[in-house]
Amino acid sequence: MRGRLGAGCRGNGCSRGATDASELTAGEALAPRPSAAPSYPRVSTSKTRLWQEMLSNWNEDSDSYTCEVQGLIESGVPSELRGQLWKCLLGRERVKESITHTYQDYVQELRSQLDTLGVNEYGLQMAGSTLDNADNTRGGMAGGARIQAPDPNSEVKVETLRQIVLDVERSFPTHCSLMGRNPEAKEGQAKLFRILSAYARYNPQIGYCQGMSYIAAMLLMNMQEEDAFWALVVLLGQNKYLAGFYEHSLDTIQRHAKIFQQLLKHRMPRLWQHMENLKVAPLLFITTWFLTLFTSLPCWDTVLAIWDLIILDGINIIFSTGLCILQLLEPRLLAMSDVSHLLPTLLRIPVDVSRYMILVPALWMTKVHKWELDCMQSVVLEEEEEEMWSSGTHSIQSAPAPKVTSIDRKNASDLKGDDGKRSSRSCVSAGRGAQEMLKNTLTKMLRIARCYLQDLDQLCEDPTVRPAWDSVRGHSKFRPSRGVVRRANGWRGRTERNIL
């Protein structure tokens, strides 16, 4: 899988282009080389002033800006303000203040460990073999004296450092600030290495997992090094975003893949059945999409737009983006009868589908809400329980049969007809059981959906929330766009019709 992950965000006719020129000149971007005119919408001067005013007056304790931010994001985010927007939405300062260690503390501890190991953060090309030798040396030789290891609480595992070194070189290999051995590339690689190693020190339970380098690099493209570290802490630590995604067991990813499979089954039954026939499990491509947050798409302006929405709305957008891509690819996927053609198409999304003017407008119209994910999760849990029950039944049936008595024969005769065949009574009972299970699932989905709508109504009528929202909405420069209101009203009507 590593080879596929490392292939993302090449030029391929799409580019980040002029929209991120300010980041490149600031020396903090890890941007790809432009190869074509960007399709990301240019942000007008008036909209840029709106962004500046909103971000300068941002209040982390208030959620009243969410609707306004959605409307502004649809019009485009100024590249020079994207990092500030992400920091505001993630609440980075609040998390930073709650932790006693500073980023500089983590980096200083890391550098002390690297000095002991004889590794230079600016010479990562040679660090791999050095870390291999250090790992072998720490193991000690048979009959020889072991080297006393420093305090493990202040160190990152050597094997973790070695994996980070390998992945830093593989992450976005075509980005001008990560490729080659020029000073700019060495600085970009050193920053990425420090962020990932510092996170491994901050969260030793996770340490480092494959795919995290793409998330950290993406943050580094739009923020200063320390800001990118704290943003990574928020993304990987909050349930709204990626909490549990990078556990080494991959249990969370597998559960979300099952939830996505249920969404696919209900939203796109024809494509789902086609994949079932070809035995293409969503886990085969969803893992890559989710772990890298779609940074492997070839069009960079599209990646930026997706990330703006992910940081605004969280994990819901990951599911929406996955469904949107499959909807755009559905005609050509249905025409494929060989898994050797279908799976590579899903792992390397074609450029024509990835273009901003194709994918992003479709994404705005593809909504997956929290209540819907809760419903799908309930279905997944019920299926898992059913599988466990079926497995238990099988083990009971495979046990040695007890001696049959006359009473057993009498009871058995009730289940058979005169000709000795099984009566249809048991088949009818099984069918009723399946219908009852489906009815219970649908009932649970309706109950969750209605509770969600009731909470929405109470939120709108809450006197403690409405004044704060009205004060923002009444500001002449902060009015929800007509598109936002139209989409919200349309969604509400569709939802009520669909669930009743």
Side-chain angles (χ1 to χ4, degrees):
M1 184 172 68
R2 171 57 60 184
R4 301 189 193 103
L5 295 180
C9 297
R10 298 177 305 277
N12 290 342
C14 300
S15 74
R16 195 177 183 184
T19 59
D20 286 325
S22 61
E23 293 170 9
L24 287 172
T25 56
E28 294 299 326
L30 308 177
R33 298 181 186 278
S35 58
S39 56
Y40 193 87
R42 291 189 175 276
V43 184
S44 65
T45 304
S46 59
K47 284 295 179 65
T48 300
R49 284 198 296 267
L50 279 177
W51 276 114
Q52 290 172 339
E53 184 173 349
M54 174 185 288
L55 295 175
S56 62
N57 297 316
W58 190 273
N59 182 4
E60 289 188 2
D61 297 325
S62 174
D63 297 328
S64 58
Y65 287 127
T66 302
C67 188
E68 178 65 22
V69 170
Q70 282 185 328
L72 288 175
I73 284 180
E74 185 175 6
S75 301
V77 180
S79 60
E80 65 274 15
L81 298 178
R82 175 170 279 110
Q84 186 179 353
L85 171 64
W86 288 6
K87 287 189 291 184
C88 290
L89 292 173
L90 291 172
R92 178 194 63 87
E93 288 297 331
R94 185 184 308 170
V95 175
K96 180 179 177 181
E97 293 172 358
S98 66
I99 299 174
T100 56
H101 264 54
T102 66
Y103 177 65
Q104 288 74 19
D105 293 335
Y106 292 124
V107 172
Q108 185 59 44
E109 292 171 358
L110 171 66
R111 284 173 172 164
S112 298
Q113 181 180 359
L114 294 179
D115 289 342
T116 303
L117 297 173
V119 175
N120 188 331
E121 63 195 275
Y122 289 96
L124 296 182
Q125 287 80 8
M126 302 297 297
S129 58
T130 305
L131 291 172
D132 285 336
N133 296 333
D135 201 15
N136 294 333
T137 304
R138 284 179 178 275
M141 296 179 296
R146 290 180 179 270
I147 296 178
Q148 184 177 1
D151 181 8
N153 293 327
S154 63
E155 283 200 338
V156 181
K157 293 181 179 180
V158 174
E159 56 266 27
T160 299
L161 293 174
R162 182 171 60 244
Q163 187 61 51
I164 292 174
V165 168
L166 293 175
D167 286 356
V168 164
E169 295 179 343
R170 296 168 176 172
S171 301
F172 302 112
T174 59
H175 284 217
C176 60
S177 293
L178 280 177
M179 63 184 296
R181 300 190 177 184
N182 57 75
E184 182 185 7
K186 287 185 177 181
E187 184 63 34
Q189 292 174 2
K191 290 179 180 180
L192 187 55
F193 174 78
R194 288 193 294 265
I195 291 173
L196 294 171
S197 301
Y199 183 84
R201 169 67 186 90
Y202 162 78
N203 190 350
Q205 287 77 19
I206 293 180
Y208 175 78
C209 183
Q210 186 180 25
M212 287 170 57
S213 58
Y214 291 87
I215 309 304
M218 185 66 175
L219 295 170
L220 191 57
M221 293 174 199
N222 297 279
M223 302 178 182
Q224 300 289 332
E225 179 181 345
E226 180 177 353
D227 293 333
F229 168 78
W230 292 114
L232 183 67
V233 169
V234 175
L235 282 175
L236 302 189
Q238 292 188 3
N239 292 328
K240 176 182 177 180
Y241 298 110
L242 307 175
F245 268 52
Y246 295 94
E247 295 173 350
H248 293 281
S249 64
L250 295 180
D251 289 340
T252 301
I253 284 289
Q254 293 178 18
R255 183 170 66 255
H256 282 83
K258 291 180 180 179
I259 294 174
F260 186 86
Q261 181 172 320
Q262 289 295 330
L263 284 173
L264 178 62
K265 181 178 180 179
H266 288 82
R267 294 275 194 105
M268 307 173 67
R270 187 181 177 193
L271 180 59
W272 173 80
Q273 188 60 55
H274 182 61
M275 290 186 177
E276 282 283 298
N277 296 337
L278 296 180
K279 302 193 183 310
V280 177
L283 186 64
L284 295 176
F285 58 91
I286 285 298
T287 301
T288 301
W289 290 1
F290 282 15
L291 286 179
T292 62
L293 293 190
F294 303 99
T295 54
S296 59
L297 292 176
C299 298
W300 200 247
D301 46 4
T302 303
V303 175
L304 290 173
I306 292 173
W307 267 65
D308 291 338
L309 294 175
I310 289 175
I311 292 180
L312 173 65
D313 289 332
I315 193 174
N316 296 19
I317 299 299
I318 303 176
F319 287 92
S320 299
T321 305
L323 284 176
C324 180
I325 290 174
L326 290 178
Q327 289 170 356
L328 294 173
L329 286 174
E330 184 175 17
R332 69 184 74 180
L333 294 177
L334 291 175
M336 298 177 181
S337 57
D338 192 342
V339 67
S340 63
H341 296 131
L342 187 145
L343 191 56
T345 302
L346 293 172
L347 290 171
R348 303 170 77 95
I349 307 301
V351 175
D352 62 308
V353 171
S354 303
R355 294 188 184 277
Y356 181 94
M357 298 308 297
I358 299 297
L359 179 55
V360 176
L363 177 58
W364 277 104
M365 302 302 296
T366 306
K367 300 295 182 183
V368 176
H369 300 279
K370 185 179 182 301
W371 68 265
E372 191 175 6
L373 293 178
D374 291 340
C375 293
M376 296 299 104
Q377 185 172 6
S378 298
V379 174
V380 169
L381 292 176
E382 287 189 0
E383 288 187 348
E384 291 177 350
E385 291 176 359
E386 184 180 357
E387 289 177 1
M388 293 176 61
W389 180 83
S390 300
S391 176
T393 302
H394 176 74
S395 63
I396 293 174
Q397 290 177 345
S398 62
K403 186 177 180 179
V404 180
T405 64
S406 59
I407 297 178
D408 295 328
R409 292 191 184 96
K410 183 178 183 301
N411 293 336
S413 65
D414 293 336
L415 300 177
K416 294 187 178 182
D418 295 335
D419 57 354
K421 296 182 180 180
R422 286 186 60 87
S423 168
S424 62
R425 188 184 308 168
S426 60
C427 298
V428 172
S429 178
R432 288 177 178 172
Q435 292 177 356
E436 187 67 24
M437 180 175 296
L438 178 60
K439 181 180 178 181
N440 292 338
T441 301
L442 293 175
T443 301
K444 184 178 293 185
M445 292 174 67
L446 287 172
R447 184 167 60 251
I448 296 175
R450 284 170 176 154
C451 289
Y452 179 84
L453 291 175
Q454 289 174 1
D455 292 342
L456 202 62
D457 289 334
Q458 292 175 2
L459 181 64
C460 294
E461 297 173 358
D462 190 345
T464 63
V465 175
R466 179 169 290 277
W469 169 241
D470 288 342
S471 64
V472 177
R473 185 178 56 185
H475 196 290
S476 60
K477 294 184 179 180
F478 291 96
R479 295 186 182 273
S481 63
R482 294 180 179 177
V484 172
V485 175
R486 188 165 55 249
R487 284 193 303 275
N489 292 336
W491 166 80
R492 177 65 181 276
R494 289 195 303 272
T495 303
E496 292 175 339
R497 287 194 299 271
N498 290 338
I499 67 175
L500 297 178

